[in-house]
Amino acid sequence: AESSEKIPFISELMLGIPTLTNVAWYADIVRSLAKRRRLIAASESLAVSLHDTYEDAAELIQRFSRESAGVTCDALQASRPLADGISSYVDDIAARMDGAARSQYVLSGLAPLDEFTHGFRRGSLVVVAGDASQGKTSFGLLVARNIANEMGAMLASYEMTPYQLHERMLSMESGLPSTSLSSASGERQLSEWEWATMMGAANRLKGLQIDVLDATVGANVDALEAEWALLTSRREREGGRRVGCVVVDYLQLMTGNEFSTIAPATRALK
C-alpha cells in the first residue's frame, strides 16, 4: 500500500525534472538571465559614474555603449560567404527532392490557394487583410483546422471568446448555421439529423491537436509567446504534435488600439 501511495509523488517529481527534450528551452532561459545580470551590472556602473562630476558625459556614453554591446554580441552572427550559403541551399533542395528533408511549405488544405502559393512557407508571418465581415476569421480557423491534420495549432482571438470560437468551428465543420447551434434550447430543439451531424463534426474536431488561447483578457505578444512555449513543452512531454501554426485574430486588437496600424504587432510577432 505504501508503495502505491508513492507512485503519484514519483510521477509529479519526474514531471518537474528538466529533461533533454527541453534542454534548448532551459538553455535560452539561463542565457537570457545571464544577459539581464550583465545589463544590470553595466547600468549600476553607469549610475555610479554619473555622480562623478570629473568624468566626461561623452566618455560615459561610449563606455556604456561598449559594455552593453558586449552583452548582446553573442547574439550576433558572423558574416558568412555567399558561396557557403548557396551550397547549403542547393544541398537542401537535393535532400527535399530525395525525401530526406521536409518541404519548406505547409499546405493550407485549400486546393486553389495551395496551387497558387504552394502553401505557407515555414517560419513565415502571413497577414490576411480585408474589410470587415469578409471572412478573415473563418479563413484563419479553416487553415488552422486543415494544418492540424499534420501538426499542432494554436488559436488566439482578441475579439472572440473561446466559446464563440468553438461555436464558429463547429458550425463550419458541420455545415449547420451558427444560429441553429446558438439558439438551441428547450423550446428550439435540434432535429435528429442536426444532432447527428453536429456530433460527427464535434468528434472530428476533438481528434485535432488545436489549443485555444483566450486573448480577450488582454494578452500581449509576450504572453502569446509564453503560452506557445508552454504548449510546445507540454506537447513534447506528452508525445504530441509540435505546434507549427499560430493563428492570431486580429492584429489591431493585439496592440490595444483597434484603429492603430498593425506594424507594431507584426514586428513583435516576426
Side-chain angles (χ1 to χ4, degrees):
E2 182 179 353
S3 176
S4 62
E5 292 176 355
K6 293 181 179 180
I7 293 178
F9 169 75
I10 294 175
S11 299
E12 294 178 2
L13 185 63
M14 291 296 294
L15 290 176
I17 297 177
T19 63
L20 290 177
T21 304
N22 303 321
V23 65
W25 187 56
Y26 289 118
D28 288 340
I29 294 177
V30 173
R31 188 181 299 110
S32 176
L33 292 177
K35 288 181 180 180
R36 287 174 180 268
R37 287 193 294 269
R38 292 168 62 185
L39 281 174
I40 291 174
S43 300
E44 290 176 345
S45 175
L46 176 64
V48 172
S49 300
L50 285 173
H51 293 283
D52 185 358
T53 57
Y54 299 101
E55 190 166 0
D56 184 67
E59 293 180 357
L60 283 175
I61 294 175
Q62 292 180 358
R63 179 159 61 86
F64 182 74
S65 297
R66 289 194 299 269
E67 293 178 359
S68 59
V71 175
T72 58
C73 66
D74 57 344
L76 301 177
Q77 296 182 354
S79 60
R80 185 184 183 189
L82 176 63
D84 293 346
I86 293 296
S87 296
S88 297
Y89 186 80
V90 172
D91 291 342
D92 180 62
I93 292 179
R96 280 185 270 135
M97 293 177 62
D98 293 338
R102 66 181 183 179
S103 170
Q104 290 293 310
Y105 291 87
V106 178
L107 298 180
S108 69
L110 305 174
L113 178 63
D114 291 335
E115 183 178 353
F116 183 73
T117 63
H118 305 293
F120 300 119
R121 192 177 184 89
R122 296 181 187 273
S124 64
L125 173 67
V126 179
V127 179
V128 179
D131 293 334
S133 302
Q134 296 298 308
K136 298 186 297 296
T137 299
S138 296
F139 174 79
L141 295 179
L142 184 58
V143 168
R145 183 254 179 271
N146 292 340
I147 289 180
N149 286 319
E150 299 182 8
M151 62 183 66
M154 183 173 77
L155 301 175
S157 177
Y158 291 78
E159 182 182 28
M160 303 172 65
T161 65
Y163 186 88
Q164 293 172 321
L165 283 176
H166 298 155
E167 180 181 282
R168 176 76 71 88
M169 295 192 71
L170 197 54
S171 172
M172 293 171 56
E173 185 72 19
S174 65
L176 298 174
S178 57
T179 53
S180 297
L181 302 178
S182 60
S183 63
S185 62
E187 291 76 23
R188 200 288 182 191
Q189 298 280 331
L190 293 177
S191 66
E192 292 185 5
W193 176 84
E194 288 175 323
W195 179 263
T197 302
M198 181 194 69
M199 290 305 300
N203 290 331
R204 290 192 297 273
L205 290 175
K206 287 190 291 186
L208 301 174
Q209 293 192 17
I210 299 179
D211 284 71
V212 179
L213 171 64
D214 186 2
T216 59
V217 296
N220 53 23
V221 177
D222 292 335
L224 180 65
E225 183 179 8
E227 183 70 21
W228 175 85
L230 290 173
L231 178 58
T232 299
S233 177
R234 174 165 60 84
R235 289 276 178 82
E236 291 177 348
R237 289 198 311 269
E238 298 174 353
R241 293 174 176 171
R242 185 179 183 275
V243 181
C245 173
V246 179
V247 175
V248 178
D249 180 43
Y250 55 89
L251 293 181
Q252 284 97 326
L253 290 181
M254 175 177 276
T255 64
N257 182 359
E258 183 177 1
F259 302 102
S260 65
T261 64
I262 65 172
T266 54
R267 282 197 299 268
L269 287 172
K270 286 182 72 69

